[in-house]
């Protein structure tokens, strides 16, 4: 285990997130108190295409980031001269957006002569629960992380900032990707997760017995493509044309139940693997916003004698607070980045070094 707070930080930190389709900026004081947070969703730009278009995303980040940062600084009531450091998502993600955010942060770091921190976006999700006062009881190292987002689905042992051990991950789709694809099948538009959860609220989760891939299998791996195919086959067998609303709601609820069962089962295996080392399960990533999934994890954690920590929904989906916070954690350990650090579209969490 490592100690934190070992280096004094003499001012606020600016965080920038631009790895996918949210342009975000946040300012935290040296103790991790949130002074400003702004997230600008590009949902409207991408919705007509049914998913994120990388080139459109990069251009939108470029168009909006400077004004967004100025607004965040004004909200925090500070000027650039007050900053102690600047952190930006440097991967994994869409390279165009990563370049926009990283270059902006590097420019600021050079101009002000302050440290630059290239943050792994997944590390941002992984450390969010440690923001002071965010989750009851805090999140001391080590803990078990279930990261469930649009691009990632994995169980990770979090041993410290920069110290991650992968216990298992998806062998095909990520959980959020499955939500988005099934939402598309049901004609719910994009992004699908939140819309599917709303529709599922009026559906019968027991009507369609969809498969639960890898349930009760050894280890902590995930698979969702068979479940997605089962939903597609069910939809294909229904009469052509508009799906009756109740049928769509029942499919949504049955699918959501299956995902919740799978996530709970895999998390249970990971908790068994980490028993004795920790009794804390942290869930992060956009899919952690789903209430049915949170409840399923709550029950499984309680059965295993674990405490479940879920950051609030606004900090589960992509945001810049988590980037600034990961920056602070690294800064405290003296782990700043080279100004020449090149953003990485692929950047596994477990490849990070202290
Ligand atoms: O973490 P995130 O904001 O971005 C990535 O890094 O991927 O996660 C976005 C994903 C999307 O797939 C979205 O459909 C899913 O999280 N999501 C949800 C919910 N809210 C967002 N999935 C299920 N239920 C939700 N309420
Ligand atoms: Zn994310």
């Amino acid at each position: 285990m490592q100690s934190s707070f070992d280096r004094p930080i003499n001012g606020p930190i600016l965080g920038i997130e631009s790895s996918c389709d949210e342009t975000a900026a946040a300012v935290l004081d040296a103790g991790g108190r949130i002074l400003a947070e702004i997230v600008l969703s590009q949902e409207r730009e991408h919705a007509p295409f049914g998913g994120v278009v990388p080139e459109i995303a990069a251009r939108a980040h470029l168009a909006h980031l400077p004004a967004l940062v100025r607004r965040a600084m004004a909200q925090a009531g500070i000027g650039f001269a007050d900053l102690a450091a600047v952190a930006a998502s440097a991967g994994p993600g869409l390279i165009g957006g990563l370049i926009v955010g990283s270059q902006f942060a590097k420019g600021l770091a050079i101009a002000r002569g302050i440290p630059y921190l290239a943050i792994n976006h997944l590390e941002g999700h992984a450390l969010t629960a440690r923001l002071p006062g965010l989750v009851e009881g805090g999140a001391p190292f080590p803990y078990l992380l279930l990261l469930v987002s649009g691009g990632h689905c994995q169980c990770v042992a979090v041993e410290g900032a920069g110290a991650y051990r992968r216990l298992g991950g998806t062998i095909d789709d990520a959980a959020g990707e499955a939500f988005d694809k099934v939402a598309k099948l049901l004609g719910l538009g994009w992004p699908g997760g939140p819309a599917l959860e709303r529709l599922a609220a009026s559906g019968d989760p027991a009507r369609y017995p969809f498969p639960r891939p890898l349930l009760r299998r050894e280890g902590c791996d995930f698979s969702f493509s068979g479940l997605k195919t089962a939903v597609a086959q069910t939809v294909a067998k229904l009469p052509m044309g508009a799906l009756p609303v109740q049928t769509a709601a029942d499919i949504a609820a049955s699918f959501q139940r299956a995902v919740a069962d799978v996530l709970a089962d895999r998390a249970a295996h990971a908790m068994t693997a980490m028993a004795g080392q920790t009794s804390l399960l942290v869930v992060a990533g956009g899919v952690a916003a789903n209430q049915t999934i949170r409840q399923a994890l709550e029950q499984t954690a309680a059965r295993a004698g674990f405490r479940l920590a879920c950051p609030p929904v606004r900090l589960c989906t992509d945001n810049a607070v988590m980037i600034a916070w990961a920056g602070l954690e690294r800064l405290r350990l003296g782990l700043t980045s080279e100004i020449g650090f090149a953003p990485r579209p692929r950047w596994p969490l477990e490849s990070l070094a202290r």
Side-chain angles (χ1 to χ4, degrees):
M1 242 198 296
Q2 69 187 54
S3 66
S4 41
F5 302 100
D6 36 12
R7 296 203 180 212
I9 300 168
N10 57 3
I13 184 167
L14 169 69
I16 292 171
E17 160 58 34
S18 60
S19 67
C20 192
D21 60 331
E22 268 94 22
T23 316
V27 181
L28 268 54
D29 74 11
R33 198 163 58 90
I34 301 171
L35 302 179
E37 56 175 310
I38 308 177
V39 179
L40 186 71
S41 166
Q42 299 176 3
E43 214 172 295
R44 257 189 314 159
E45 278 100 324
H46 301 290
F49 304 95
V52 180
V53 182
E55 180 66 21
I56 293 176
R59 285 168 192 254
H61 288 304
L62 194 57
H64 298 300
L65 185 61
L68 203 79
V69 168
R70 269 198 298 275
R71 265 174 56 208
M73 297 294 287
Q75 220 178 69
I78 61 165
F80 289 117
D82 300 315
L83 287 175
V86 53
S89 282
L94 300 173
I95 194 65
L98 292 171
I99 290 173
V100 171
S102 300
Q103 293 302 103
F104 189 100
K106 287 176 183 184
L108 199 53
I110 293 168
R112 300 302 327 164
I114 54 178
Y116 159 67
L117 295 114
I119 300 298
N120 181 301
H121 176 90
L122 304 176
E123 179 165 60
H125 281 303
L127 300 178
T128 304
R130 290 171 49 77
L131 267 161
L134 195 70
V135 299
E136 219 182 303
F141 297 130
Y143 54 83
L144 170 62
L145 169 74
L146 173 65
L147 177 60
V148 276
S149 71
H152 302 273
C153 186
Q154 48 190 270
C155 286
V156 182
V158 179
E159 287 158 356
Y164 305 95
R165 195 159 44 82
R166 183 187 163 97
L167 302 172
T170 183
I171 55 174
D172 40 57
D173 293 346
E177 198 179 349
F179 265 94
D180 291 336
K181 286 176 178 171
V182 167
K184 206 175 216 171
L185 285 170
L186 297 177
L188 297 179
W190 178 89
L196 194 144
E197 182 176 17
R198 278 194 297 278
L199 179 64
S202 55
D204 173 7
R207 177 156 172 208
Y208 294 96
F210 291 131
R212 270 82 170 144
L214 300 184
L215 199 78
R216 289 188 278 277
R217 291 273 189 88
E218 287 269 302
C220 316
D221 283 339
F222 303 83
S223 166
F224 294 103
S225 77
L227 170 58
K228 175 197 66 193
T229 305
V231 175
Q233 286 169 343
T234 300
V235 172
K237 277 191 217 127
L238 293 166
M240 295 286 277
L243 271 180
V245 175
Q246 193 55 51
T247 306
D250 292 345
I251 291 174
S254 302
F255 162 79
Q256 182 174 265
R257 187 70 255 164
V259 175
D261 287 351
V262 168
L263 291 177
D265 176 75
R266 308 284 77 205
H269 281 233
M271 285 187 278
T272 305
M274 285 201 72
Q277 298 164 61
T278 181
S279 58
L280 174 61
L281 169 63
V282 171
V283 56
V287 180
N290 188 286
Q291 293 305 321
T292 300
I293 289 171
R294 282 188 180 216
Q295 280 161 18
L297 292 171
E298 194 84 60
Q299 288 166 4
T300 315
R303 267 200 299 276
F306 271 57
R307 169 165 68 93
L308 177 73
C310 295
V313 170
R314 71 174 213 287
L315 297 177
C316 277
T317 50
D318 287 351
N319 65 86
V321 170
M322 69 181 193
I323 302 304
W325 173 250
L328 274 184
E329 293 243 32
R330 293 194 148 255
L331 208 52
R332 284 167 179 167
L333 299 171
L335 299 172
T336 58
S337 308
E338 296 289 335
I339 205 75
F341 184 97
R344 301 176 180 178
R346 293 180 58 82
W347 191 8
L349 202 45
E350 58 278 13
S351 73
L352 295 183
R354 292 261 177 91

